Amino acid sequence: MSTSTAIARIDLVKRPSRPPAALTARQAAELREEREPKPFLKWVGGKGRLLSQLTPLLPPGVARMRHVEPFVGGGAFFFARSPARALLSDVNPDLIGTYQAIRDDVEGVILNLEILAQGHSKEAYYGVRSDYNASLGDTSTERAAQFIYLNKTCFNGLHRVNKRGEFNVPVGTYVKPRILDEGALHAAHRALAGVEIRCAGFEALVQDARPGDFVYFDPPYEPVSETARFTAYAQGGFDQDAQRKLRDVYRELDRRGARLMLSNSDVPFIRELYSDFHIDTVAAPRAINCDGRGRGKVAEVVVRNY
C-alpha cells in the first residue's frame, strides 16, 4: 500500500479525539436545531444564488404539491423549500448514495468524514480519490464520506468523470477547506427524513409523476459556445439528443397535469425546444472558469407550463 493510501485509509473503528468544545453538548444540539437546511455539497450550477428569482415563479398552491427533482445535484431548491413530500433522483449513483446515507445514518457519515478531514493533505486527497474510484468504501457511510470529502477539497467543487466513469478532478488549492460541517449535515438529515431518493434518469418520471406534482428540472445546461461545453457530470454526458428527450418528457408530464419548471441556458436551441411554453429570463452568476475575468452573470431561461 502506498504512503498516500495509507494516510487516507485510516482505521475507521475508533473515533478520533477532539479538542475541548467551546459549547456544551446541549448547546451544540440546540444550535443544530436552529440551522436551516442548505446544500451540504458544492455543485456546479447550484441554484442557491438564484432562489430569489426562482421562488416568485413557483406555481400557486405549490405548498400542497409533491416536490419532484430528477436532477437533484446540490439540492438548493429542495432544501430552501423543505417540502412535506418529495421525490429526489439523479443518474449519479454516488450522489444518490450520499443523500441516502445522510438521510439514514448521518452520524455514520460524520464519523467517517471527521477522520478524512483530520488527515487531509494533497497526498491524502489522491489516496482517497484512488480508493473512491476503486470502490474501496467498505460501507455506504464511508463512501458517502469519501464523496463529500472529494467534493469539498477538489478544484472548484467540480464533479467530473472520464469515459470509464472515474472521478478525475485534481485537488483544489484551499488553505483550510471546511470539510466537515456537522450542523449542515444534521439539518440536511432532518430535511431528508421521509423523502424518497432514487438513482434514476429523468425518463423514469414518465412512470412516476402524477397530476398535481411540482417537477423542477435542472439538467446539465446546453453550452452557450463550444468552449463553454461542460456536461460530463455523469458518464456519457448530456448532448442535444438528451435535451430533446427531456423536452419530450416535459411535454408528456404537461399532458398529465403536473406543474413544471425547467432551467437551462438562454440559447436559441433551448428556446426553440420549449417554444410552446412560457419562458422567463433570469440572471445567474457563473464561477466555473479558470480565468476569473470570464466569470460573471449570464442569462438563463426558466420554462414553465403554467
Side-chain angles (χ1 to χ4, degrees):
M1 180 180 294
S2 67
T3 302
S4 61
T5 304
I7 292 173
R9 292 189 57 75
I10 303 171
D11 179 7
L12 299 184
V13 176
K14 296 181 179 179
R15 189 179 180 95
S17 60
R18 298 185 182 183
L23 299 176
T24 66
R26 180 177 178 180
Q27 288 172 327
E30 290 173 349
L31 182 61
R32 286 199 301 268
E33 289 300 323
E34 293 172 0
R35 293 283 294 271
E36 294 293 329
K38 64 179 183 180
F40 57 88
L41 297 168
K42 300 179 182 180
W43 209 255
V44 174
K47 293 299 178 285
R49 288 183 284 181
L50 271 179
L51 292 174
S52 63
Q53 298 179 71
L54 294 178
T55 300
L57 300 178
L58 288 167
V62 70
R64 299 188 299 274
M65 301 176 186
R66 184 176 67 151
H67 180 102
V68 180
E69 280 197 58
F71 300 92
V72 64
F77 209 11
F78 163 77
F79 286 119
R81 296 198 59 239
S82 293
R85 297 177 297 132
L87 166 61
L88 306 178
S89 62
D90 202 283
V91 295
N92 185 325
D94 289 311
L95 173 65
I96 290 301
T98 298
Y99 272 98
Q100 291 170 337
I102 294 296
R103 179 193 63 189
D104 300 336
D105 187 6
V106 68
E107 294 298 339
V109 176
I110 289 172
L111 180 135
N112 285 286
L113 186 56
E114 183 176 25
I115 297 169
L116 294 177
Q118 290 190 352
H120 174 61
S121 67
K122 181 178 179 179
E123 293 76 16
Y125 173 88
Y126 287 105
V128 174
R129 193 182 76 170
S130 177
D131 285 354
Y132 173 81
N133 284 330
S135 299
L136 294 182
D138 296 327
T139 65
S140 60
T141 54
E142 182 181 353
R143 188 149 182 86
Q146 290 174 338
F147 189 91
I148 296 171
Y149 169 82
L150 293 171
N151 173 265
K152 296 291 188 179
T153 57
C154 73
F155 174 75
N156 266 355
L158 193 61
H159 187 86
R160 182 187 64 203
V161 296
N162 60 23
K163 292 182 179 179
R164 296 187 297 274
E166 297 171 336
F167 180 76
N168 63 357
V169 181
V171 68
T173 57
Y174 314 107
V175 177
K176 291 184 179 180
R178 189 173 188 183
I179 298 169
L180 175 60
D181 184 344
E182 291 192 46
L185 293 177
H186 279 286
H189 168 72
R190 293 191 299 273
L192 291 168
V195 171
E196 188 174 359
I197 305 172
R198 298 183 191 171
C199 184
F202 65 86
E203 302 92 342
L205 288 181
V206 174
Q207 286 77 42
D208 296 332
R210 305 190 291 259
D213 281 346
F214 168 68
V215 185
Y216 176 58
F217 297 93
D218 187 22
Y221 280 16
E222 178 64 15
V224 297
S225 67
E226 283 302 313
T227 57
R229 185 169 293 278
F230 176 75
T231 57
Y233 297 105
Q235 192 173 5
F238 204 88
D239 58 14
Q240 289 193 345
D241 285 341
Q243 297 284 6
R244 293 187 185 94
K245 291 177 182 177
L246 177 58
R247 185 274 317 275
D248 293 343
V249 169
Y250 192 102
R251 282 178 172 170
E252 175 60 21
L253 299 187
D254 173 58
R255 188 187 66 80
R256 294 187 182 192
R259 295 292 179 263
L260 311 174
M261 178 188 287
L262 176 143
S263 295
N264 214 312
S265 302
D266 187 1
V267 294
F269 175 71
I270 295 298
R271 283 186 173 271
E272 182 180 353
L273 282 184
Y274 295 95
S275 59
D276 294 339
F277 299 97
H278 186 81
I279 298 178
D280 294 286
T281 304
V282 296
R286 278 293 167 262
I288 296 298
N289 192 314
C290 294
D291 181 357
R293 294 171 299 178
R295 307 182 187 190
K297 291 189 175 181
V298 296
E300 293 185 2
V301 296
V302 178
V303 182
R304 297 181 292 150
N305 71 336
Y306 51 88

